[in-house]
Amino acid sequence: MIKEDLIKELGELGIATRLKRLGERFSQDVAEIYKKRKLDFEPKWFTTIYALYKNGSMSVQSLAQSLGFTHPAIIQFINQMKKRQLIETKQGETDKRLTLVSLSKKGLETFESVRPLLSDIGEVTSEVLSSTGLDMLILMDKIEEALDEKSVYERISERIKERELKEIVVVNYEEKYKAEFKGLNEEWLKKYFSVEPEDEKILSSPEEIIKNGGEIFFALYNNVIAGTCAVIRRDKDSFELAKMAVTEKFQGRQIGKKLALTAIGFAVSKKAKVIVLETSNKLIAALNLYKKLGFEQIPNDHPEKYKRCTIKMKLEI
């Protein structure tokens, strides 16, 4: 009975494991060839020993950069090969912090013993790759170029942000949310500063914002209120983005961005020309968000509004 191949079944999700498994199949067979010919050598060391054979003495850092391996991986290979007396290490002459690696006499002899097999290994590998009907080396070059341009980490992070942004539901103010408006803002104010009279005035009378032509928005994440912000009308052409708050439990999930975009959209719908806000250099995440959305720092014409030090920003819309 043929067992199902779960890795194949996973498709793209199993690609890293499948490539690793494929590499291990090549390595295991080549290792068996070395073993049969009484060569004290492992395939995983080949690129390192080849680099040292070609370039002579190299630093650990230059080896890592040349081979595209991590620093810890190179250290691991060096320690393994050093135990087999294949390489030698010494401190740099001008920089004692630098570790220089070179092949020992045994290492050179071992590589010379392996060299006659390299053409055979290369030809068989080419034969296997050619059986696919594709130029696998060019294909791998393209994949590596794509990853150099943008890593898997960056690509997945972007997808997560896009998905989370779509999952957030924004609703308008209702009296039942009055306590949440105050509580969410008091959370960050008490953590970083204190609740000042101007804060208390706004947080205790959210209805005044609505009466004066503004709006208060709430972000629901999995049906839980996770954040809020207010859009306060200053005059017929401008609004202030104020009292932006995202509870700590849900920070880093695009909630602040969704609220800010909703607030900007509201101001645009009211034919506003400018949105201003006040924030603090202490609120790094918020400051970075505002900059990404196009807000620019301007002189603060009312620095006495809060005791805490604030900076003023403006977005022309």
Side-chain angles (χ1 to χ4, degrees):
M1 181 178 178
I2 300 175
K3 294 182 179 179
E4 60 181 336
D5 190 330
L6 292 177
I7 303 303
K8 284 186 179 181
E9 184 182 309
L10 283 169
E12 290 84 356
L13 290 174
I15 188 66
T17 302
R18 198 166 178 185
L19 288 172
K20 182 180 180 181
R21 186 174 70 176
L22 192 60
E24 287 175 349
R25 289 182 70 175
F26 274 96
S27 293
Q28 286 169 2
D29 285 346
V30 172
E32 191 64 24
I33 294 295
Y34 292 153
K35 184 178 178 181
K36 292 289 184 182
R37 301 184 70 84
K38 303 286 192 288
L39 293 172
D40 186 20
F41 191 70
E42 295 187 30
K44 62 182 177 181
W45 300 336
F46 172 71
T47 51
T48 303
I49 202 169
Y50 176 77
L52 295 174
Y53 181 84
K54 181 181 179 181
N55 299 306
S57 181
M58 297 179 72
S59 69
V60 173
Q61 184 176 358
S62 61
L63 266 172
Q65 291 174 342
S66 177
L67 300 176
F69 291 159
T70 63
H71 197 276
I74 291 295
I75 293 293
Q76 185 180 44
F77 290 160
I78 287 171
N79 290 337
Q80 291 170 353
M81 295 169 70
K82 198 171 182 180
K83 286 182 180 178
R84 303 285 183 90
Q85 300 180 335
L86 298 175
I87 61 170
E88 298 172 342
T89 59
K90 65 178 182 180
Q91 289 181 320
E93 293 181 6
T94 55
D95 187 349
K96 299 298 182 183
R97 297 170 299 176
L98 205 63
T99 299
L100 298 176
V101 187
S102 61
L103 292 178
S104 64
K105 181 181 178 181
K106 182 182 178 181
L108 285 167
E109 291 173 350
T110 299
F111 185 75
E112 291 296 342
S113 300
V114 170
R115 281 187 69 181
L117 302 174
L118 299 183
S119 60
D120 300 318
I121 295 169
E123 287 172 8
V124 169
T125 303
S126 179
E127 178 185 308
V128 173
L129 296 181
S130 297
S131 67
T132 65
L134 302 170
D135 192 323
M136 295 297 290
L137 294 179
I138 290 180
L139 181 61
M140 291 179 72
D141 285 342
K142 294 293 183 183
I143 293 172
E144 288 175 340
E145 287 171 9
L147 294 179
D148 287 340
E149 184 179 326
K150 188 180 292 185
S151 71
V152 171
Y153 172 81
E154 291 171 319
R155 292 169 189 265
I156 294 174
S157 295
E158 287 176 2
R159 291 296 179 92
I160 291 172
K161 289 178 180 179
E162 289 173 8
R163 174 175 53 77
E164 288 182 334
L165 205 59
K166 292 176 182 177
E167 292 174 349
I168 300 163
V169 177
V170 177
V171 297
N172 291 22
Y173 177 80
E174 293 181 38
E175 190 173 351
K176 65 181 180 179
Y177 297 138
K178 185 173 182 177
E180 278 83 356
F181 181 60
K182 189 171 187 178
L184 286 165
N185 276 285
E186 285 183 341
E187 180 183 321
W188 71 267
L189 283 167
K190 290 178 179 178
K191 179 178 179 179
Y192 294 102
F193 309 104
S194 63
V195 181
E196 299 183 32
E198 181 68 18
D199 298 313
E200 187 64 37
K201 176 183 174 183
I202 296 172
L203 297 178
S204 297
S205 305
E207 294 86 358
E208 292 300 312
I209 295 173
I210 313 297
K211 288 178 183 178
N212 293 327
E215 186 57 87
I216 299 173
F217 297 104
F218 293 87
L220 275 66
Y221 189 86
N222 292 333
N223 295 318
V224 176
I225 293 180
T228 186
C229 76
V231 191
I232 302 172
R233 182 178 280 282
R234 291 304 176 193
D235 53 50
K236 72 181 186 68
D237 292 327
S238 68
F239 282 88
E240 179 183 355
L241 175 59
K243 297 300 175 274
M244 168 82 79
V246 178
T247 190
E248 194 166 353
K249 179 182 177 181
F250 293 112
Q251 287 176 6
R253 301 192 185 184
Q254 304 300 293
I255 293 168
K257 183 177 181 180
K258 186 69 173 266
L259 285 166
L261 290 172
T262 303
I264 293 169
F266 174 81
V268 170
S269 73
K270 299 298 181 180
K271 308 285 194 250
K273 296 179 181 178
V274 174
I275 302 176
V276 297
L277 62 83
E278 286 189 52
T279 187
S280 168
N281 284 322
K282 198 171 183 179
L283 305 174
I284 298 172
L287 187 59
N288 288 337
L289 170 62
Y290 299 140
K291 287 179 179 178
K292 286 179 181 177
L293 292 175
F295 283 87
E296 296 180 348
Q297 187 171 346
I298 58 173
N300 192 342
D301 48 1
H302 295 291
E304 71 286 350
K305 183 177 177 181
Y306 295 105
K307 290 181 181 179
R308 59 182 179 268
C309 182
T310 63
I311 60 173
K312 194 168 185 178
M313 304 184 81
K314 178 179 76 170
L315 173 68
E316 294 184 357
I317 54 177

